[in-house]
Amino acid sequence: MPKLFLPIATCLAALPLPAAAADTFFDYSLRVGHNSNLFEDANDLGGGFAQAEVKLRGSFDIEGSGITYALWHREKRLERYDFGDEHVTGMTLGHKMKLADTVEWTVEAGIQRKAAGDVFLAVPGTVIGYRMTDMTYEMASSLAAQFLGGQNTLKAGVSHLDRGKARFTTDLLLPTKLEADVTALDLTASHIRPGLDGEIGFTLAYRSTFIPDSEQETLLRFPASTLRGSVAYGRKIGETMTMIAEIGGATIMADDLGDDVKRLRPYLRSSLEWKPTESLGFGIGYDQDYAIADIDDPQAEFIQTWKFAASAKLLPKIEAKVTYEIASSEWIYYLYDSETRRFAGTLTFDIGKDHKLEIGYRHVDRREKDPAENYDGHEYFASMSGTF
């Protein structure tokens, strides 16, 4: 992946820059709080935390082509467990141009460095942690064209996660690699057009993960591929409701899948939003699909997720919002199931143009097939964010 990223990043960086960018923004975010389970695991290690993030982003035009860029850095410090501190730096470069009146091409490349840590072993009186430095490289391109009565889009993306060695907080353990590198390929073709008083969409999507052969057995991470075809429909119902429904089929392909694995399953994505007044809103959604990246199982998971949300404008500059999510995961490689429930409640104060103050509470409740791995956590926080 670095071999793909560097030539494009070099070409984009070599473009002549104008004297001043057309649009430049500076985003910031400050956050402090206390979490009863900082690492979200069965060790239940709690403590305070502080987090700060800054981001410079902008765009400008060069001879009819649009250039976008973003640079960001995030720091997170933990009160008691400094091996869990986070340092994240990243950048993206994008280029958009019209190839014809109804044809547009977009390409974007990104790179991120993340230094963070986790718990390796926790027993009464002793906590052994470790730190790793991971590099992520991403590149994506899309071609959009208007024909056949609608918008047609082809997308291709590739990402590579390069895992670093774990360096432990004790000299008794040598640096070693705990997680495998993962490369993911995404290909999508879609067509969206007006129909039935709303919009109708057709999508065909393919995703595949690649794991180095030398790391599959030693680090228990295995490649897999998924193929999905679906039909979507969305429309407004009256003046207060918006609905989206997408249904189709998703299949998983991988070596050595067990005989009990259902390779073809229904794919579903749905949501309904209701806004009875200007100051009150409700939402509900349900999704189910295969996941082969950012998972706990060595190969894949079939995840079913319910989402609920409600918001209310209490005063012109004060808004309250609550969300609740239930995600049930069926692991594919292991005969194992897990369920994660998340609740969040926030109170947001508008303190000026593009600036806000937020106080909130979050709760996570994880239940697994092995009761010893169950955990929950409570977080109280205050944050301030804005844009200049």
Side-chain angles (χ1 to χ4, degrees):
M1 181 61 193
K3 294 180 180 178
L4 296 174
F5 169 79
L6 290 175
I8 287 188
T10 301
C11 292
L12 291 175
L15 291 171
L17 298 181
D23 294 295
T24 302
F25 303 95
F26 178 80
D27 303 326
Y28 73 92
S29 174
L30 305 171
R31 181 187 179 99
V32 295
H34 183 278
N35 193 316
S36 66
N37 195 336
L38 289 166
F39 300 96
E40 290 197 3
D41 59 21
N43 295 305
D44 288 331
L45 302 179
F49 67 88
Q51 179 176 303
E53 182 172 359
V54 292
K55 183 176 185 179
L56 179 68
R57 57 184 173 90
S59 63
F60 52 87
D61 294 329
I62 296 179
E63 298 179 353
S65 297
I67 305 296
T68 61
Y69 64 90
L71 301 163
W72 69 89
H73 181 76
R74 182 174 75 246
E75 289 281 333
K76 184 176 182 180
R77 300 296 178 93
L78 305 187
E79 178 185 9
R80 300 174 57 189
Y81 309 101
D82 56 2
F83 61 82
D85 293 349
E86 281 187 12
H87 319 293
V88 183
T89 303
M91 68 171 292
T92 59
L93 289 170
H95 182 214
K96 179 185 292 186
M97 65 180 299
K98 278 200 169 186
L99 303 180
D101 289 341
T102 60
V103 181
E104 188 175 72
W105 175 66
T106 303
V107 61
E108 185 175 70
I111 184 172
Q112 177 181 281
R113 178 186 184 274
K114 179 180 180 181
D118 208 339
V119 178
F120 182 71
L121 177 66
V123 296
T126 302
V127 176
I128 298 176
Y130 64 89
R131 292 189 60 76
M132 299 193 323
T133 299
D134 299 337
M135 296 294 298
T136 302
Y137 309 90
E138 297 178 322
M139 187 168 61
S141 181
S142 67
L143 186 66
Q146 292 277 354
F147 64 90
L148 298 176
Q151 175 84 358
N152 304 272
T153 306
L154 294 174
K155 296 181 180 179
V158 61
S159 65
H160 176 72
L161 175 58
D162 187 1
R163 297 283 195 180
K165 286 187 175 182
R167 302 185 181 278
F168 299 92
T169 56
T170 173
D171 295 333
L172 299 176
L173 297 173
L174 296 176
T176 187
K177 197 161 188 175
L178 298 178
E179 298 183 61
D181 299 340
V182 180
T183 300
L185 172 68
D186 288 277
L187 302 172
T188 305
S190 64
H191 172 76
I192 301 175
R193 61 183 300 145
L196 302 176
D197 297 324
E199 286 189 331
I200 301 174
F202 305 89
T203 300
L204 185 66
Y206 172 80
R207 188 171 209 198
S208 187
T209 55
F210 305 89
I211 315 296
D213 292 340
S214 60
E215 298 181 354
Q216 292 183 20
E217 294 291 343
T218 56
L219 299 177
L220 285 179
R221 187 69 168 91
F222 303 101
S225 301
T226 61
L227 180 64
R228 168 175 64 87
S230 58
V231 179
Y233 174 66
R235 62 166 294 182
K236 289 198 70 173
I237 304 174
E239 297 296 324
T240 62
M241 282 191 180
T242 303
M243 63 84 65
I244 297 175
E246 185 174 7
I247 187 169
T251 184
I252 185 168
M253 299 159 282
D255 295 335
D256 302 323
L257 281 178
D259 295 335
D260 295 333
V261 174
K262 298 178 182 178
R263 288 162 172 77
L264 178 63
R265 306 199 195 200
Y267 167 84
L268 184 61
R269 180 177 66 91
S270 60
S271 66
L272 178 65
E273 296 182 4
W274 178 42
K275 197 170 179 62
T277 68
E278 287 293 326
S279 59
L280 192 62
F282 302 93
I284 183 173
Y286 176 78
D287 307 328
Q288 65 175 43
D289 192 13
Y290 280 108
I292 58 175
D294 192 21
I295 53 177
D296 295 319
D297 184 74
Q299 196 161 50
E301 296 178 22
F302 187 73
I303 304 177
Q304 300 170 289
T305 306
W306 282 98
K307 299 176 183 179
F308 307 89
S311 63
K313 201 93 168 178
L314 305 181
L315 291 172
K317 293 190 175 184
I318 302 178
E319 183 178 22
K321 184 177 181 180
V322 296
T323 60
Y324 185 60
E325 179 181 292
I326 306 172
S328 302
S329 295
E330 178 186 338
W331 297 22
I332 301 302
Y333 185 82
Y334 291 126
L335 296 177
Y336 199 81
D337 299 312
S338 63
E339 182 180 89
T340 306
R341 297 172 179 252
R342 296 182 183 274
F343 171 84
T346 57
L347 195 60
T348 304
F349 302 84
D350 184 348
I351 57 176
K353 184 180 179 181
D354 298 324
H355 302 278
K356 63 181 182 180
L357 175 67
E358 190 174 78
I359 57 175
Y361 167 77
R362 292 180 178 178
H363 176 247
V364 58
D365 183 14
R366 172 87 165 196
R367 292 293 174 262
E368 301 197 9
K369 192 172 183 179
D370 179 5
E373 297 298 320
N374 293 347
Y375 66 83
D376 67 354
H378 305 267
E379 179 179 299
Y380 304 88
F381 67 90
S383 68
M384 184 176 177
S385 60
T387 300
F388 293 100

